[in-house]
Amino acid sequence: MELAAGSFSEEQFREACTELQQPALAGADWQLLVETSGISIYRLLDQQTRLYEYKVFGVLEDCSPALLADVYMDLNYRKQWDQYVKELYEQECNGETVVYWEVKYPFPMSNRDYVYLRQRRDLDVEGRKIHVILAQSTSVPQLGERSGVIRVKQYKQSLAIESDGKKGSKVFMYYFDNPGGQIPSWLINWAAKNGVPNFLKDMARACQNYLKKT
């Protein structure tokens, strides 16, 4: 498998592009969880962890693909519009750029934090311009676990964005993480049904403000 810079393979980028065009939901027990505001969320039970993987498909109107990718990659700006961010920054570790991200959890649960690699590539696929961002958890000695915060050691996300043919963006997102600890099932279900659509809406709103900022 050919490795792209940043520890992600060419195949991983291509898979995200393919899924944007043709959702891969057959052959596995993907269940439609919710449809809201042009966003469809599917889930699949991971037999090993007994947690769900998620796939999200939809359109964000009035937000161009390049702008959406820029906003997603801008960590400093995300701290302004994402209310769940406690801490978020990049750090050079062992020759790679690593992201540290602490997420606020509701009382009395402990916050979660992530250490992960990410990479963006802007691809031309048969004349279609597709922005792909991949992220995956990693471990580096410079960013050890913190007292009172639970480290998420299994995290994987892919995001593919292209034009919807108008002024907006067609989006595919894959997401899996294992938050650890004892989290009530109602909270996990709420996060999937409401958290993801709300995050996308917040990001679309952030795109409009980003234009004003720049």
Side-chain angles (χ1 to χ4, degrees), residues 131-188:
H131 307 274
V132 180
I133 301 165
L134 302 180
Q136 186 164 320
S137 54
T138 190
S139 177
V140 293
Q142 297 94 326
L143 293 168
E145 296 185 33
R146 300 181 176 185
S147 176
V149 180
I150 295 177
R151 175 64 48 89
V152 177
K153 297 177 181 177
Q154 292 175 280
Y155 167 66
K156 186 178 180 182
Q157 186 173 30
S158 55
L159 179 67
I161 312 163
E162 71 173 337
S163 172
D164 67 347
K166 301 174 186 176
K167 298 187 298 181
S169 296
K170 181 181 176 184
V171 175
F172 159 71
M173 180 189 289
Y174 167 87
Y175 184 85
F176 174 80
D177 78 2
N178 183 351
Q182 299 298 316
I183 299 181
S185 58
W186 67 263
L187 181 59
I188 294 175

Side-chain angles (χ1 to χ4, degrees), residues 2-23:
E2 179 188 352
L3 286 181
S7 303
F8 296 101
S9 70
E10 186 72 25
E11 184 178 331
Q12 287 174 291
F13 284 97
R14 294 292 169 180
E15 283 176 356
C17 291
T18 300
E19 192 114 27
L20 181 64
Q21 183 177 24
Q22 183 62 50

Side-chain angles (χ1 to χ4, degrees), residues 70-72 74-82 203 205-211 213:
D70 287 346
V71 167
Y72 188 83
D74 191 331
L75 300 184
N76 285 327
Y77 183 51
R78 182 167 177 174
K79 287 185 280 189
Q80 299 176 34
W81 63 265
D82 186 346
M203 190 159 62
R205 192 178 304 114
C207 285
Q208 304 307 314
N209 293 330
Y210 199 71
L211 285 174
K213 181 172 81 77

Side-chain angles (χ1 to χ4, degrees), residues 32-52:
L32 178 62
L33 180 64
V34 64
E35 283 185 309
T36 177
S37 304
I39 303 294
S40 300
I41 302 175
Y42 294 81
R43 70 179 183 180
L44 175 68
L45 184 65
D46 180 84
Q47 297 298 333
Q48 184 175 358
T49 62
R50 308 305 297 174
L51 297 169
Y52 286 101

Side-chain angles (χ1 to χ4, degrees), residues 101-120:
W101 174 33
E102 182 179 344
V103 180
K104 299 175 187 174
Y105 267 58
F107 181 82
M109 289 182 291
S110 300
N111 287 354
R112 265 57 176 178
D113 67 0
Y114 300 71
V115 175
Y116 64 93
L117 298 168
R118 67 172 186 166
Q119 187 186 5
R120 169 182 172 176

